[in-house]
Amino acid sequence: MTENSLGSDLWIMAQVRQSNQNGIPAMIIHKGDPDRGSLLLKINLLGPGCQVLSQTRDIDGNLAWLAANKGELMDDYAAHEYVERAVKRDPDLWVVEFEDRNGENPFGGEIL
């Protein structure tokens, strides 16, 4: 679920819009369950590779992220394959791609 009990769709679409307004291209790659779908981020660093992060919670219930590939960057093809496998396992999953050379996660939260 998302912060402040917003539906996933509102929370995600608001952040995508904000990112685009801030000059960070963002695209919804896969729409999941509008109310309770969790989120997978693909952050494309436009050269060095991509980071893929899965939404989770820390021990205190705060938003956190699990990094795919042991936190190592992966090429765009490998990231795409990872995303496809994740969506096959969980069709309610939302997938958002950001293009940011700095690799910032606009949703915030700690990477575990």
Side-chain angles (χ1 to χ4, degrees), residues 4-5 23 45 49 53 61 68-69 73 83 92 110 112:
N4 300 321
S5 298
L45 281 73
L53 303 172
N69 198 33
L73 296 179
V83 167
D92 292 333
E110 179 182 3
L112 304 177

Side-chain angles (χ1 to χ4, degrees), residues 36-96:
R36 302 207 181 270
S38 62
L39 177 59
L40 184 79
L41 302 179
K42 178 182 171 190
I43 303 172
N44 188 334
L45 281 73
L46 302 172
C50 299
Q51 183 176 36
V52 178
L53 303 172
S54 299
Q55 179 187 358
T56 190
R57 296 282 167 180
D58 67 14
I59 196 165
D60 297 319
N62 299 313
L63 178 65
W65 302 92
L66 294 176
N69 198 33
K70 299 178 184 174
E72 299 293 320
L73 296 179
M74 55 182 99
D75 65 37
D76 192 53
Y77 180 77
H80 175 77
E81 291 291 312
Y82 184 95
V83 167
E84 281 191 346
R85 288 190 306 273
V87 170
K88 282 182 184 174
R89 282 190 308 271
D90 182 4
D92 292 333
L93 184 68
W94 286 78
V95 180
V96 179

